[in-house]
Amino acid sequence: MDQPKIERLLRLMKMLTANTTYTVDELAERLDMSRRTIYRYIDTFREAGFVIKKSGEYIRLDKASPHFKDISQLVHFTEEEAVILKSAIESIDDTNLLKQNLKRKLYAVYDNKTLADTVVRGKNAPNIRTLIEAIEEERQVILRGYQSAHGSAVRDRRVEPFAFTTNYVQVWCYDTEDGVCKLFKSSRIGSVELTDTPWQHKASHREGFIDAFRMHGEKPIRVVLELGLLAANLLTEEYPLAERDLRPLDNGHYLLDTQVASIQGVGRFVAGLLDDIRIVNAPELTDYLSNYLEKNRL
């Protein structure tokens, strides 16, 4: 099989396993292929042992198919892994012919919407599959035995799931009891019960903002910091997405001008590097650190 055909197969596999479902016509349009080619490639997947699922005109590749787990390790990156990989490729000298080949092969298979998709495995897999089904069919679910992050309370939640975060670690849901959109952590869900009740609050479904420090909230907060070399290096190592908002200064330091969803995430990072970070503009962060230091003062 020639390389272009392998790349087309991988691109099709990516779309057939994404959270969004597509018809054959949509697949053909997005991948710039004929309907006949799409059907031929789907037959190739089926002959290789993959399970093809159809829901009306929509088609997808079942992630429970044989061999899928092994293949998924090769064709899926988290968003942070993708940022690191892109950075590594960009660091190669422009005169190196391999650089353009690597970039071409990478971007032929992945795009920004699906870089974050990974295959779920382990004890959470059944719950995630049920949530995916609920999203596809626009139905409410009951999160059985959900353990709150703010205490030891364990109770059921009736929600409308509509989107996942990277790695399916969390799921965005509309909480029918509280009337707001929330993030629910997958590992805290006991089980998921799919109901026959369709979504009733679709117009209110909105994903909240998630910052580089992996915190989420409704209202972005601007934070401007001056970082020394040590702090800048630790920041990009621990939170790769922050590099997008980091730029060098003339004095050998770095300026981080970013939006955060919660002061808690950036606050914990800054608290451990007070000697190498200066707050340029972040009143809420200043208050947070004052309270933090007061509570932890010996």
Side-chain angles (χ1 to χ4, degrees), residues 43-56:
D43 286 341
T44 299
F45 289 138
R46 185 180 289 110
E47 291 169 3
F50 291 94
V51 177
I52 305 299
K53 297 177 65 177
K54 294 192 68 176
S55 178

Side-chain angles (χ1 to χ4, degrees), residues 234-284:
L234 289 174
L235 176 69
T236 55
E237 288 175 6
E238 295 181 22
Y239 305 102
L241 297 183
E243 187 173 359
R244 296 178 298 193
D245 299 321
L246 193 67
R247 64 179 178 85
L249 298 173
D250 293 336
N251 60 1
H253 286 199
Y254 292 81
L255 188 73
L256 177 68
D257 189 343
T258 190
Q259 300 280 347
V260 300
S262 167
I263 291 297
Q264 186 177 10
V266 65
R268 287 198 297 257
F269 176 78
V270 173
L273 294 160
L274 290 174
D275 293 337
D276 204 41
I277 296 178
R278 181 175 69 88
I279 298 176
V280 178
N281 182 14
E284 296 93 337

Side-chain angles (χ1 to χ4, degrees), residues 44 57 59 63 104 110 116 123 154 156 167 173 175-176 181 193 197 212 214 217 253 263 290:
T44 299
E57 296 182 354
I59 191 166
K63 294 178 182 179
R104 179 178 58 80
Y110 306 104
K123 65 179 182 179
V154 177
D156 297 344
N167 283 345
C173 300
D175 189 317
T176 61
C181 294
E193 178 184 331
T197 306
R214 308 184 188 103
H253 286 199
I263 291 297
S290 296

Side-chain angles (χ1 to χ4, degrees), residues 174-185:
Y174 180 88
D175 189 317
T176 61
E177 179 180 338
D178 295 339
V180 294
C181 294
K182 298 179 180 179
L183 268 180
F184 291 89
K185 195 165 184 177

Side-chain angles (χ1 to χ4, degrees), residues 109-168:
V109 179
Y110 306 104
D111 59 44
N112 293 332
K113 290 184 179 180
T114 55
L115 278 171
D117 289 347
T118 58
V119 177
V120 178
R121 49 196 179 277
K123 65 179 182 179
N124 291 329
N127 289 343
I128 299 301
R129 292 192 188 103
T130 303
L131 288 168
I132 291 174
E133 183 179 355
I135 292 173
E136 292 174 348
E137 299 181 4
E138 299 190 355
R139 291 158 66 182
Q140 292 184 356
V141 301
I142 300 176
L143 306 181
R144 297 291 186 188
Y146 185 80
Q147 183 174 354
S148 172
H150 305 293
S152 58
V154 177
R155 65 185 181 91
D156 297 344
R157 307 285 188 93
R158 178 178 281 268
V159 301
E160 296 178 0
F162 58 88
F164 289 99
T165 64
T166 303
N167 283 345
Y168 297 94

